[in-house]
Amino acid sequence: MAVIVWRIIRVASQTRKNHRVPPGSTGWPLIGETISFYRAMRSPINPRRFIQDHEHRYGTIFRSNLFGISQIIVSVDPEFNRYVLQNEGRLFEANYPKSLRNLIGKYGLLSVHGELQRKLHATASNLLKHEGLSSGFMDDIQNALLAGIERWQDKRVIHLQEECNK
């Protein structure tokens, strides 16, 4: 069962009147329900307990507060998840935590939206489309990654963001 999560974005007061936020709980201020979520995820018996409990209590689409990202909507409804993914960039916009956006960079595929995202995606797809170019490109990536890992062996602290940018 796939789970999709997206952030609630403030909507202008005119349009907000017609839209309802799904039921759910926001938990404690700042930390929300993050502790309950982590506790369930660490359980060797049932790591999906948090999602199952909320689904049973609120339905297949519910509101929560995880990882300090204000309010989010969680969906375990496969049909609705498909609808969201098919309309991403038109009706829905993906939004990731600031730390991940900083790691990926300003023009990473996960950070951009709309026309720029389509252009970057098409460029990446075309780059990997040709088999000869693809294998050479993948060899270069693998060599760069192995060289990076060799440099990391002697370090006690690795600054992941800097290394990923390299």
Side-chain angles (χ1 to χ4, degrees):
M1 178 182 306
V3 175
I4 191 168
V5 176
W6 72 93
R7 187 170 159 214
I8 297 175
I9 299 174
R10 289 189 174 88
V11 182
S13 60
Q14 296 175 7
T15 58
R16 191 182 310 164
K17 294 175 187 173
N18 299 330
H19 302 288
R20 292 182 328 160
V21 176
S25 171
T26 55
W28 293 89
L30 298 177
I31 61 170
E33 297 182 296
T34 304
I35 294 172
S36 301
F37 178 76
Y38 276 134
R39 188 179 307 129
M41 294 307 284
R42 293 187 61 195
S43 167
I45 299 168
N46 187 6
R48 290 187 39 83
R49 186 180 76 229
F50 177 86
I51 299 293
Q52 290 170 339
D53 288 350
H54 280 64
E55 182 181 5
H56 178 72
R57 194 176 313 154
Y58 303 115
T60 57
I61 302 172
F62 55 89
R63 178 183 72 230
S64 186
N65 181 346
L66 298 173
F67 316 115
I69 310 175
S70 62
Q71 292 189 47
I72 59 172
I73 304 295
V74 179
S75 170
V76 293
D77 181 344
E79 291 176 22
F80 186 71
N81 292 351
R82 184 169 189 250
Y83 176 77
V84 168
L85 294 173
Q86 286 178 337
N87 289 289
E88 187 174 353
R90 290 186 298 257
L91 300 176
F92 300 93
E93 186 175 288
N95 195 344
Y96 299 93
K98 185 177 181 181
S99 56
L100 182 61
R101 289 192 312 263
N102 289 343
L103 183 63
I104 293 169
K106 184 178 179 181
Y107 296 108
L109 281 176
L110 295 177
S111 299
V112 296
H113 303 287
E115 187 62 29
L116 181 57
Q117 194 267 349
R118 282 189 282 283
K119 286 180 181 178
L120 287 173
H121 184 73
T123 302
S125 296
N126 287 336
L127 184 62
L128 299 174
K129 203 179 273 186
H130 306 297
E131 198 158 313
L133 180 60
S134 174
S135 64
F137 182 66
M138 295 307 284
D139 288 342
D140 291 345
I141 290 175
Q142 184 174 358
N143 291 337
L145 182 63
L146 291 174
I149 290 173
E150 286 177 14
R151 283 194 314 267
W152 296 348
Q153 286 178 342
D154 297 333
K155 291 185 178 182
R156 292 188 68 158
V157 176
I158 299 169
H159 298 281
L160 188 59
Q161 183 172 0
E162 292 174 18
E163 294 296 322
C164 287
N165 287 334
K166 289 178 186 176

